Amino acid sequence: QVQLQESGPGLVKSSQTLSLTCTVSGYSITRNPYLWVWIRQPPGKGLEWMGAIDYLGITYYNPRLKSRTSISRDTSRNQFTLQQRSVTPEDSAVYYCARGDWFGENDYWGQGTQVTVSS
């Protein structure tokens, strides 16, 4: 069974870098054909696709967030990581990691982690 679990600090100060890790079990992140995705949901708003890393390690980003966002992976730990630089309170959200396909469908999700950016 595929499982994903987000980890990282729940509170970040403005202008700092937010770093979250997603640990995957039950499926190798280097195995074709899936994408490993970061999604967030600010309070009272819809889901926002932030970016992804594929089984080859190629990254894809939401153009709106690309200048501040980096996604990387540690294949030895079967983990992938989100870094978002220069955060503001508008980056406060529940952050999810997920497994996705090339059609935009995400079939396995982490439980989500709340991140609050203090001003």
Side-chain angles (χ1 to χ4, degrees):
Q1 182 180 1
V2 180
Q3 293 183 320
L4 296 93
Q5 178 67 58
E6 304 91 350
S7 60
L11 183 64
V12 182
K13 294 182 179 179
S14 288
S15 80
Q16 292 187 341
T17 297
L18 180 164
S19 294
L20 296 174
T21 296
C22 184
T23 301
V24 181
S25 60
Y27 200 92
S28 172
I29 63 172
T30 63
R31 183 177 170 186
N32 194 13
Y34 292 101
L35 292 167
W36 303 93
V37 182
W38 285 102
I39 296 165
R40 68 180 183 180
Q41 186 169 28
K45 298 184 179 180
L47 296 170
E48 181 176 32
W49 187 89
M50 300 184 70
I53 188 165
D54 71 13
Y55 66 99
L56 294 174
I58 300 170
T59 52
Y60 308 85
Y61 296 106
N62 182 329
R64 195 181 77 82
L65 302 172
K66 183 177 182 178
S67 65
R68 298 193 294 123
T69 305
S70 296
I71 297 174
S72 59
R73 66 180 185 172
D74 183 340
T75 58
S76 67
R77 297 184 177 185
N78 214 40
Q79 296 175 332
F80 61 107
T81 299
L82 170 74
Q83 288 195 323
Q84 191 173 22
R85 297 173 290 278
S86 303
V87 296
T88 72
E90 291 189 347
D91 293 309
S92 297
V94 178
Y95 285 75
Y96 298 93
C97 58
R99 188 180 79 169
D101 64 20
W102 295 96
F103 301 97
E105 298 293 327
N106 302 305
D107 58 355
Y108 290 96
W109 293 68
Q111 65 182 20
T113 186
Q114 173 71 51
V115 177
T116 301
V117 180
S118 62
S119 57

